[in-house]
Amino acid sequence: CKCNFMSLMFFPSGTGSNILSALQDLFWLSKSKVEKQLQIISVLQWVLTFLVMGIACTLILMYILCTDCWAIAVLYLAWLVFDWNTPKKGGRRSQWVRNWAIWRYFRDYFPIRLVKTHNLLTTRNYIFGYHPHGIMGLGAFCNFSTEATGVSQKFPGIRPYLATLAGNFRMPILRDYLMSGGICPVNRDSIDYILSKNGSGNAIIIVVGGAAESLNCTPGRNSVTLRNRKGFVKLALRHGADLVPVYSFGENEVYKQVIFEEGSWGRWVQKKFQKHIGFAPCIFHGRGLFSSNTWGLLPYSKPITTVVGEPITIPKIDNPSQKEVDFYHGVYVDSLIKLFDKYKSKFGLPETEVLEVN
């Protein structure tokens, strides 16, 4: 009653409630803006990690060696030598890091969603083929290197390992940051260890198209580099690990890229980098930090939906023949196309859309 009396004293009839309502709306608007800024910051830190963290940490370590704090750098380098092979043995994941709140803001920026279509047995090991690569594999990272989309709840008892360039694990600090999320090198030693000496219930996520696929990613195009990518199938056969096709709708929509035609000088440079260094430099842009109408490094906030398909049962064959590899590769390609066709209309693509397999 006292509150009503004070409102009547200071405001004409109805005005007080209107002002209070307006203030309440302003409060919620501010909260919304704060959340949006946190989302932008969370994505920006990952983009910078992807692009410059390895080089930056290496330069900082070299600088510290030349200062009075050189002992700190020496201790870290000694630890690095001692710990050098850890990435090849499953890494050193941290559930605390995987559950950071920053990853939930990262997820909500786009947003990113993980869709489960079938159960996975904890008595088996798996190789997930992730498609397409996109510029940075944002969906792969969020879904399988963090708990933001609930991968552990959707697939209880399954330990996901996102495989990436082995060169990243030669970079100080960056290697430890990546390992904390369950990221491992995409090389034979690492994959062999996880699939043969780490028990069951392991799922290695391989972005099959790699750098070559990233060169062709552009909004509106659903294209994968897969026809001649058969190494992951051979690994699956050697270990008896089931193959699981995974397609991320929207992965190609978050950045715009300059596509160089085959035979052009730009494509020649990209292929040389890909052959000798392992990655291909792309000329791309997203939105600006303060406005979606300007160019910048932030990806566009387009939805990414990652669909995990039905596992393909793979027999264990110590020395698979090329014929056996080709057969199961064909089964995998057919399964990926079926997965794409089944879900494309649910996630904004027309029924006439065809998955381009190169």
Side-chain angles (χ1 to χ4, degrees), residues 124-139:
R124 299 286 292 173
N125 283 324
Y126 301 90
I127 293 179
F128 288 17
Y130 183 92
H131 314 270
H133 183 287
I135 295 293
M136 297 184 186
L138 294 164

Side-chain angles (χ1 to χ4, degrees), residues 3-20 23:
C3 290
N4 291 334
F5 174 71
M6 294 297 290
S7 296
L8 288 171
M9 281 183 63
F10 290 100
F11 303 107
S13 179
T15 304
S17 58
N18 290 338
I19 292 176
L20 290 174
L23 289 172

Side-chain angles (χ1 to χ4, degrees), residues 119-167:
N119 291 325
L120 298 181
L121 299 175
T122 57
T123 55
R124 299 286 292 173
N125 283 324
Y126 301 90
I127 293 179
F128 288 17
Y130 183 92
H131 314 270
H133 183 287
I135 295 293
M136 297 184 186
L138 294 164
F141 169 76
C142 184
N143 285 307
F144 302 113
S145 294
T146 80
E147 295 296 332
T149 56
V151 63
S152 293
Q153 286 71 45
K154 288 182 170 68
F155 300 103
I158 301 297
R159 293 181 298 276
Y161 294 87
L162 177 61
T164 188
L165 289 175

Side-chain angles (χ1 to χ4, degrees), residues 21-35:
S21 177
L23 289 172
Q24 188 176 31
D25 291 341
L26 182 62
F27 170 77
W28 287 111
L29 180 63
S30 298
K31 181 180 179 181
S32 175
K33 286 184 177 179
V34 169
E35 289 186 347

Side-chain angles (χ1 to χ4, degrees), residues 72-99:
I72 296 175
V74 169
L75 285 172
Y76 179 80
L77 289 172
W79 160 253
L80 196 61
V81 172
F82 174 79
D83 195 55
W84 190 253
N85 289 323
T86 298
K88 298 178 183 178
K89 298 179 179 180
R92 188 170 46 247
R93 75 174 55 219
S94 166
Q95 285 303 116
W96 175 66
V97 173
R98 287 175 60 88
N99 281 286

